[in-house]
């Protein structure tokens, strides 16, 4: 088989066979096809697309390019995935809730990059917390606690690592088949029986508008179900940050507050929806059980168990001062009165990154303690000089940079603006 023939076939709009897709994925994994030919093929796929059959084959081949985790000796295990947003800490609350309800979640999460945060970074703000458990340790925590979340292991879908790095530098990231196969290959390799996807949509998300988010969600749901994993998806709003805080330590504290029954309204609505759908995948119904395990403290107890099983110190749950130190607290105020009509959510995420709370490139180190408090929500009426954001930082110059970004984050209108719902749509089985 010749890679040149495969490139030409896709360039001319042809449909690739299973053998052809397997050939190029194996070549990418083993390094036997040079980057320039892989890049040319990626561009041909980007321009001419792949149908759902090609996309499903590509996903399976990428998943099988490395380790495939197997939880069959433990029982049913679920996973959830968010396509990335600002202030999205849903997993950290959903996992303990489900564990308290006897439903196991095994998740491998990414790190934050650019304006989006990463669950692994958030969890690593907990003193001692290890997100680099071995596969055996990971399985043991899933078995005994019911919830574990670790960084992606080295040999998880290695073909995706090669192809994603090339896409990043060849302008071929934004293609439905390539995004969906990249995300779903890692989900399939991570071994869960059922997956709930949270496809973010809006000014802080990869997908800026509803039709694009819906299309991506449908492709991923099809891939998951074609691969024999029960998969459903929500399309959720990312036109403003989720919850009250953006920043690693601050979001962990917000999760503890949510597990203590004091979560922000939109955030909690999303937590209930995702946890409820995960229960559905196991054939159970919510019936008030989610609220019960929050109110009786058993979900918070599971969170403590999870932290301890990962080597972390859970004492901050009783004294938030034990989590990160902040030297600068700066308020950003509204310069006019009116209704908050639009938020440039990406700017809020970038402001957190500038403070040191995120990365421009994956090798950057981050300051877990910094972040931003969101004082108002879209649709709120605000007065001149009312506080829009509180910046928590450790470096004057970085705080000034964040302040500049945040000053331009909101648009204010004289006419009332409706509050956007957090759940915009769902693709269910
Ligand atoms: N996240 C991924 O893992 N892959 C993509 O292609 C886009 C987002």
């Amino acid at each position: 088989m010749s890679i040149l023939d495969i490139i030409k076939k896709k360039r001319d709009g042809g449909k690739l066979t299973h053998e052809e897709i397997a050939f190029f994925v194996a070549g990418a994994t083993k390094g036997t096809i040079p980057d320039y030919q892989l890049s040319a093929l990626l561009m041909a796929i980007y321009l001419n697309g792949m149908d759902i059959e090609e996309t499903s084959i590509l996903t399976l081949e990428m998943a099988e390019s490395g380790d495939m985790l197997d939880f069959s000796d433990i029982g049913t295990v679920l996973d959830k995935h968010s396509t990335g947003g600002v202030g999205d800490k849903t997993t950290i609350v959903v996992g303990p809730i489900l564990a308290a309800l006897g439903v196991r979640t095994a998740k491998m999460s990414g790190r934050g990059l650019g304006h989006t945060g990463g669950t692994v970074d958030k969890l690593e703000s907990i003193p001692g917390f290890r997100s680099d458990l071995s596969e055996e340790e990971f399985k043991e925590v899933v078995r005994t606690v019911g919830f574990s979340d670790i960084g992606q292991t080295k040999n998880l879908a290695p073909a995706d690592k090669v192809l994603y790095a090339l896409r990043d530098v060849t302008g071929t990231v934004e293609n439905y088949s390539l995004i969906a196969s990249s995300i779903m290959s890692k989900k399939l390799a991570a071994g869960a029986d059922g997956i709930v996807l949270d496809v973010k949509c809006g000014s802080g998300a990869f997908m800026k508008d509803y039709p694009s988010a819906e299309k991506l969600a449908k492709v991923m749901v099809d891939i998951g179900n074609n691969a024999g994993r029960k998969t459903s998806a929500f399309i959720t709003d990312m036109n403003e940050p989720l919850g009250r805080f953006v920043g690693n330590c601050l979001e962990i504290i917000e999760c503890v507050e949510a597990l203590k029954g004091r979560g922000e309204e939109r955030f909690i609505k999303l937590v209930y929806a995702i946890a409820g759908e995960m229960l559905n995948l196991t054939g159970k119904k919510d019936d008030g059980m989610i609220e019960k395990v929050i109110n009786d403290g058993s979900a918070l107890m599971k969170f403590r168990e999870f932290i301890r099983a990962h080597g972390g110190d859970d004492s901050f749950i009783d004294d938030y001062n034990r989590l990160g130190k902040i030297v600068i607290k700066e308020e950003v105020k509204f310069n006019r009165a009116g209704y908050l009509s639009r938020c440039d959510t990406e700017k809020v995420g970038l402001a957190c990154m500038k403070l040191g709370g995120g990365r421009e490139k994956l090798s950057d180190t981050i300051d877990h303690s910094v972040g931003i408090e969101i004082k108002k929500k879209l649709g709120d009426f605000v007065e001149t000089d009312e506080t829009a954001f509180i910046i928590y930082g450790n470096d004057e110059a970085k705080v000034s940079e964040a302040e500049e970004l945040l000053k331009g984050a909101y648009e204010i209108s004289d006419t009332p603006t409706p509050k956007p719902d957090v759940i915009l749509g769902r693709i269910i089985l």
Side-chain angles (χ1 to χ4, degrees):
M1 198 170 289
S2 145
I3 183 66
L4 188 56
D5 291 339
I6 299 174
I7 295 169
K8 285 180 179 170
K9 187 174 182 187
K10 195 37 101 181
R11 179 199 66 191
D12 297 337
K15 175 169 170 162
L16 300 184
T17 63
H18 196 142
E19 289 68 32
E20 287 164 339
I21 294 171
F23 178 79
F24 99 77
V25 172
T29 313
K30 293 185 202 138
T32 51
I33 301 176
D35 286 356
Y36 52 84
Q37 286 182 313
L38 290 174
S39 303
L41 181 57
L42 287 169
M43 184 56 83
I45 294 171
Y46 178 92
L47 294 173
N48 290 324
M50 277 182 147
D51 67 14
I52 187 66
E53 197 184 343
E54 290 172 291
T55 309
S56 294
I57 294 168
L58 175 60
T59 309
L60 277 176
E61 288 297 328
M62 291 208 298
E64 287 169 4
S65 67
D67 296 343
M68 295 287 282
L69 266 75
D70 179 5
F71 290 97
S72 54
D73 51 331
I74 292 181
T76 301
V77 167
L78 301 182
D79 195 354
K80 84 158 268 282
H81 181 81
S82 153
T83 56
V86 179
D88 186 7
K89 53 226 136 213
T90 316
T91 300
I92 303 168
V93 179
V94 165
I97 288 175
L98 289 176
L101 291 169
V103 174
R104 292 190 170 89
T105 306
K107 181 155 165 50
M108 288 195 193
S109 296
R111 294 191 180 272
L113 192 59
H115 74 282
T116 62
T119 306
V120 165
D121 295 326
K122 293 172 203 195
L123 289 169
E124 284 180 356
S125 40
I126 300 170
F129 187 94
R130 281 181 56 217
S131 56
D132 61 350
L133 303 188
S134 67
E135 282 180 17
E136 291 71 33
E137 289 172 315
F138 178 48
K139 278 183 75 172
E140 188 55 14
V141 179
V142 172
R143 193 179 67 76
T144 53
V145 178
F147 169 50
S148 183
D149 194 339
I150 62 171
Q152 280 157 12
T153 53
K154 257 211 184 86
N155 206 27
L156 187 86
D160 176 63
K161 290 193 176 73
V162 174
L163 295 177
Y164 192 84
L166 288 176
R167 286 166 59 210
D168 209 21
V169 292
T170 56
T172 52
V173 169
E174 299 89 350
N175 169 277
Y176 295 103
S177 292
L178 295 177
I179 296 174
S181 57
S182 167
I183 293 175
M184 291 304 290
S185 61
K186 288 171 285 203
K187 294 287 111 186
L188 299 186
D193 305 287
I195 305 158
V196 174
L197 301 163
D198 179 3
V199 179
K200 301 285 182 198
C201 167
S203 62
F206 217 26
M207 297 289 150
K208 304 288 178 206
D209 57 72
Y210 189 82
S212 322
E214 188 185 40
K215 183 168 171 188
L216 179 63
K218 280 186 175 153
V219 175
M220 292 200 290
V221 166
D222 277 349
I223 293 173
N225 288 310
N226 287 347
R229 318 290 172 96
K230 287 184 183 170
T231 308
S232 46
F234 288 94
I235 295 129
T236 73
D237 182 65
M238 195 28 76
N239 278 310
E240 63 184 330
L242 188 64
R244 293 190 196 105
F245 291 94
V246 178
N248 300 292
C249 280
L250 295 169
E251 289 186 51
I252 290 291
I253 293 170
E254 186 169 14
C255 290
V256 173
E257 283 293 290
L259 289 166
K260 288 179 178 172
R262 299 191 288 259
E264 188 266 339
E265 195 185 322
R266 295 175 94 241
F267 172 44
I268 282 301
K269 191 168 176 186
L270 183 59
V271 164
Y272 272 59
I274 290 182
E277 180 57 20
M278 289 171 80
L279 283 177
N280 282 346
L281 293 189
T282 64
K284 298 186 180 176
K285 285 264 164 290
D286 174 7
D287 290 339
M289 292 195 296
I290 296 176
E291 197 172 0
K292 181 177 167 293
V293 294
I294 292 178
N295 290 341
D296 68 11
S298 50
L300 185 63
M301 189 49 77
K302 275 291 170 195
F303 187 51
R304 285 186 187 273
E305 280 178 41
F306 158 72
I307 292 172
R308 289 182 202 144
H310 279 253
D313 176 359
D314 65 341
S315 62
F316 77 92
I317 290 178
D318 307 304
D319 176 7
Y320 297 150
N321 289 320
R322 290 172 189 245
L323 209 61
K325 286 275 172 289
I326 283 297
V327 292
I328 307 167
K329 210 173 147 186
E330 186 75 40
E331 295 197 4
V332 179
K333 305 202 172 207
F334 293 110
N335 59 6
R336 58 160 288 194
Y339 296 92
L340 294 186
S341 57
R342 188 177 177 277
C343 176
D344 186 339
T345 314
E346 193 167 333
K347 274 195 179 151
V348 182
L350 286 175
C352 184
M353 187 190 84
K354 295 281 180 202
L355 286 171
R359 299 183 181 78
E360 275 175 72
K361 45 186 192 324
L362 262 177
S363 52
D364 291 345
T365 50
I366 59 175
D367 180 350
H368 290 100
S369 54
V370 300
I372 298 159
E373 183 171 353
I374 320 293
K375 299 300 285 181
K376 294 287 170 185
K377 290 279 164 187
L378 287 181
D380 283 352
F381 183 81
V382 300
E383 302 284 358
T384 311
D385 278 342
E386 225 184 312
T387 305
F389 301 103
I390 303 177
I391 301 174
Y392 298 90
N394 284 322
D395 177 307
E396 288 289 355
K398 290 178 180 174
V399 168
S400 300
E401 264 189 275
E403 202 176 347
E404 273 320 300
L405 277 164
L406 292 174
K407 273 182 187 162
Y410 278 119
E411 279 173 26
I412 300 179
S413 146
D414 292 326
T415 44
T417 317
K419 287 187 169 288
D421 200 345
V422 67
I423 313 277
L424 303 177
R426 56 176 74 199
I427 318 280
I428 49 174
L429 290 174

